Amino acid sequence: MKEKQTHSITLESTCKITDEICLPDTKLPSVVIVGGGFAGLALVEKLKHKEVQVVLLDKNNFHQFQPLLYQVATSALEPDSIVFPFRKQINGYKNVFFRLAEVVEIQPDSNTILTNKGSVSYDYLVLATGTTTNFFGMDSVAENSLGMKDIRDSLNIRHMMLQNLEQAAITCDDKERDALTNFVIVGGGPAGVEMAGALAEFCKYILPKDYPEYPSSIMNIYLIEAIDELLGTMSDKASSKTLKYLEDLNVKVLLNEAVSNYDGNEVTTKSGKTILAKNLIWTAGVKGQFPKGIDEKHVVKGNRIKTDANLKVEGYENIFAIGDIAALISEERPKGHPQVAQAAIQQGKYLGNSILNLINNKPTQPFEYKDKGSLATVGKRKAVADLGKFKFAGYFAWLLWSVVHLMSISGFRNRLMVGFNWAVSYFTYEKSNRLIIRNFKPKSLIDNTEE
C-alpha cells in the first residue's frame, strides 16, 4: 500500500488547483470508485465508516434513478424527483469523498487515473461506469434519434415531443402533421415497453384535452422489436400479456423487424417498411463505456470488461468492475449477468465486503447472483411480473412494481414527490409537467449549424 503523510482525513485549507486532485492525506487504503450508479453507490454504502478512504468520481454531481426516466420523458415526473445529489447521499460519511470529474485514462503501472480535472492515485480501483446507447454503427440513426440513458435524454425526449405536437397544431401540411405526431420506439425490452405504454396513455388522456385542433387518433405509436417477442428476458406469459396490453392501448407492435435507417423524417426497416415520423426513441441496445487504459483483450461483446469470479478485471491485481460494465462469464452465464439494477446493487455490496477482506488478508468468496425476479409496467394498472415460479400480470403486478420502484428511489423527499405524482395520476391521468423550458434541436441540426 502507498504511504501518505498523516492519519488525518481532514481537508487541509492549503489545497490549490494543481495537476493532482486535492484529497485529504491518510495512511488508510484508498478505494477509488468511478461512477455513481446503482453499483457504485451500493459499494459506497458498504465501505462507509470503514478503515478505508473512499473517493467517488463522477462526471455528474447526482445519482439518477434510471428505471423512471421514461416518466420524465412523458411529463409524468419532474427530473428532480428521480435525481439525488451525491453530496447529500454521503453527508455524514467521514471517510467518503466526492469529486466532480470525468475519468479519461487509467494508468495501472502507477496506480493512477487521469481525469479532466487532474490525477488521482489509488490502492484499489473500481470501475462502475455503466453503459451508453448502442446504435450499432448506424450513424444516421444516432444523429436523428434519441436514446434514453440519462436524465438529459429524458428531457430531450420531452421537449422534442411537446415541440413537435405544438408544430403539428401550426402546420397546414397533412403529411408534415403526420410526421410530427408519429412516434417510433425501437427496442421491445422493459424500457421500450414502458415508454410505449406511457406515450399511449398520453395520447389517450392528455392529447384530446391539450390539442383539440386535431383528433387524438392522429398520434400513432409504433414499437419495433427485432426478435419475435417482447421482453425477451422474461417469461412467455409476460411477453404475450405485454403484447396484449400494448395492442389494447392502440400501440402498433412490429415484431421481427429491425431498423436499418432513419433520416429524421422517415424510418426504414430491413424488410423495406417505411414509417413517416419525426420522433424516434432508441432503446434497442447498450454498450459499456469506460476510460482508456484497460487492455482490449479483456474487453468482450457489448464493450464489457471481463472479470473473474471475484469481479477483478482479468490481468490486473487491484482493478475491479461492477454493474452493467462487468462481464463475469461462466458456463452458467455465457453472456455475463443481466444489466439490471439488482445485479449492480448485489455486485456493489459483494465487492465492499471483498475489498475489506483483501485489506485484512482474509479469504474472499466468489460472487453469486440471486435473481429476485423481473417486473415491467405497461401503463396504469397493467404490469407483468416474473418472481421465480410465480408469473402473473395485471393490477397486482402493477401495484408490486409501484411499491418496489418507490422504495428504491434515493431520499425521502424524492419518494414523497414521486408517490404524490403517482397518486394524482392514478385518479386523474393528469401529467402536469408539460412545459417547454428550452428549445430542443436534433444532433444533426446542431452539427450542421456548427459547420
Side-chain angles (χ1 to χ4, degrees):
M1 300 295 174
K2 61 179 182 294
E3 292 291 322
K4 294 186 179 179
Q5 293 177 359
T6 70
H7 286 280
S8 171
I9 55 172
T10 303
L11 191 62
E12 296 182 7
S13 60
T14 55
C15 287
K16 297 179 180 179
I17 298 174
T18 64
D19 289 338
E20 185 176 357
I21 290 179
C22 188
L23 289 165
D25 288 327
T26 180
K27 284 188 177 180
L28 296 175
S30 173
V31 180
V32 176
I33 305 167
V34 184
F38 289 109
L41 281 190
L43 177 55
V44 167
E45 289 296 313
K46 268 296 175 183
L47 295 179
K48 68 181 181 182
H49 309 312
K50 304 297 184 183
E51 290 297 307
V52 291
Q53 185 188 67
V54 180
V55 181
L56 175 63
L57 300 174
D58 200 291
K59 62 184 179 181
N60 299 310
N61 74 333
F62 55 83
H63 169 75
Q64 51 194 339
F65 191 72
Q66 290 181 319
L68 294 182
L69 288 175
Y70 79 95
Q71 293 203 8
V72 174
T74 53
S75 303
L77 294 174
E78 275 302 304
D80 61 344
S81 301
I82 64 166
V83 296
F84 200 77
F86 289 129
R87 290 193 176 277
K88 190 172 182 179
Q89 184 87 22
I90 66 174
N91 185 28
Y93 300 177
K94 301 299 184 184
N95 67 321
V96 180
F97 303 90
F98 170 71
R99 295 294 181 264
L100 181 67
E102 185 172 1
V103 178
V104 294
E105 185 178 351
I106 304 166
Q107 297 182 336
D109 293 339
S110 60
N111 285 348
T112 304
I113 56 176
L114 304 181
T115 79
N116 61 343
K117 302 289 180 65
S119 64
V120 179
S121 57
Y122 62 84
D123 293 312
Y124 300 93
L125 174 63
V126 182
L127 300 175
T129 45
T131 57
T132 187
T133 304
N134 187 359
F135 292 99
F136 303 99
M138 292 185 287
D139 294 337
S140 63
V141 176
E143 288 176 4
N144 294 293
S145 66
L146 289 172
M148 195 168 60
K149 283 298 295 176
D150 64 30
I151 198 70
R152 297 177 186 88
D153 290 338
S154 292
L155 287 172
N156 284 338
I157 292 170
R158 179 194 293 190
H159 290 111
M160 173 188 72
M161 174 178 73
L162 295 175
Q163 285 175 199
N164 285 348
L165 290 176
E166 292 294 345
Q167 184 60 33
I170 291 171
T171 183
C172 293
D173 186 319
D174 291 341
K175 189 175 180 181
E176 178 75 1
R177 187 183 293 114
D178 286 344
L180 289 164
T181 55
N182 285 346
F183 290 77
V184 176
I185 301 141
V186 184
V193 162
E194 290 170 353
M195 185 68 192
L199 274 176
E201 289 193 336
F202 185 99
C203 173
K204 185 175 181 179
Y205 298 106
I206 303 300
L207 206 68
K209 294 187 296 183
D210 279 14
Y211 300 93
E213 295 91 340
Y214 45 79
S216 58
S217 58
I218 198 172
M219 182 174 169
N220 293 303
I221 301 161
Y222 300 84
L223 179 60
I224 300 177
E225 170 54 49
I227 61 174
D228 61 357
E229 62 179 356
L230 300 173
L231 301 175
T233 59
M234 294 183 69
S235 65
D236 291 341
K237 180 177 180 179
S239 176
S240 60
K241 274 288 186 182
T242 298
L243 179 60
K244 182 182 184 304
Y245 289 150
L246 288 173
E247 289 178 341
D248 288 345
L249 287 167
N250 294 320
V251 175
K252 298 172 174 59
V253 180
L254 306 179
L255 300 175
N256 292 311
E257 282 285 1
V259 171
S260 60
N261 190 51
Y262 178 55
D263 62 5
N265 194 62
E266 189 174 79
V267 182
T268 306
T269 70
K270 288 185 177 178
S271 69
K273 283 189 174 68
T274 58
I275 302 169
L276 199 63
K278 287 188 178 290
N279 310 279
L280 190 145
I281 301 162
W282 187 272
T283 67
V286 294
K287 60 182 178 181
Q289 56 176 354
F290 53 88
K292 64 181 181 179
I294 297 294
D295 195 317
E296 287 187 6
K297 68 184 179 183
H298 305 304
V299 179
V300 298
K301 187 177 180 181
N303 208 42
R304 300 172 78 181
I305 300 173
K306 191 176 181 183
T307 73
D308 65 13
N310 301 106
L311 299 176
K312 186 187 297 181
V313 178
E314 288 193 346
Y316 303 94
E317 287 301 313
N318 59 344
I319 301 179
F320 301 84
I322 55 175
D324 290 356
I325 202 172
L328 200 174
I329 295 172
S330 62
E331 287 186 12
E332 272 187 358
R333 298 186 179 274
K335 296 181 180 180
H337 292 93
Q339 292 170 294
V340 295
Q342 61 171 304
I345 292 168
Q346 288 181 36
Q347 289 179 357
K349 290 178 178 179
Y350 159 84
L351 188 58
N353 291 327
S354 186
I355 287 176
L356 292 174
N357 285 338
L358 288 172
I359 291 170
N360 295 306
N361 296 314
K362 293 181 179 179
T364 59
Q365 299 298 318
F367 173 71
E368 290 186 13
Y369 173 57
K370 296 178 181 177
D371 190 347
K372 297 179 180 180
S374 300
L375 299 163
T377 184
V378 195
K380 191 164 108 178
R381 302 192 191 98
K382 299 181 183 73
V384 291
D386 286 353
L387 304 178
K389 295 179 181 179
F390 301 99
K391 304 182 191 320
F392 52 97
Y395 179 79
F396 184 68
W398 173 81
L399 195 62
L400 181 62
W401 178 94
S402 300
V403 171
V404 168
H405 282 71
L406 193 61
M407 298 310 298
S408 299
I409 296 171
S410 296
F412 174 77
R413 173 182 172 276
N414 292 47
R415 291 192 196 108
L416 192 64
M417 290 171 65
V418 172
F420 176 76
N421 275 278
W422 284 356
V424 170
S425 177
Y426 182 86
F427 292 106
T428 67
Y429 284 98
E430 176 62 25
K431 296 177 185 289
S432 59
N433 305 305
R434 304 186 298 278
L435 306 173
I436 302 173
I437 57 176
R438 60 181 171 82
N439 187 39
F440 168 74
K441 286 185 178 180
K443 285 175 286 190
S444 56
L445 291 183
I446 295 172
D447 293 342
N448 289 336
T449 303
E450 290 176 351
E451 289 175 5

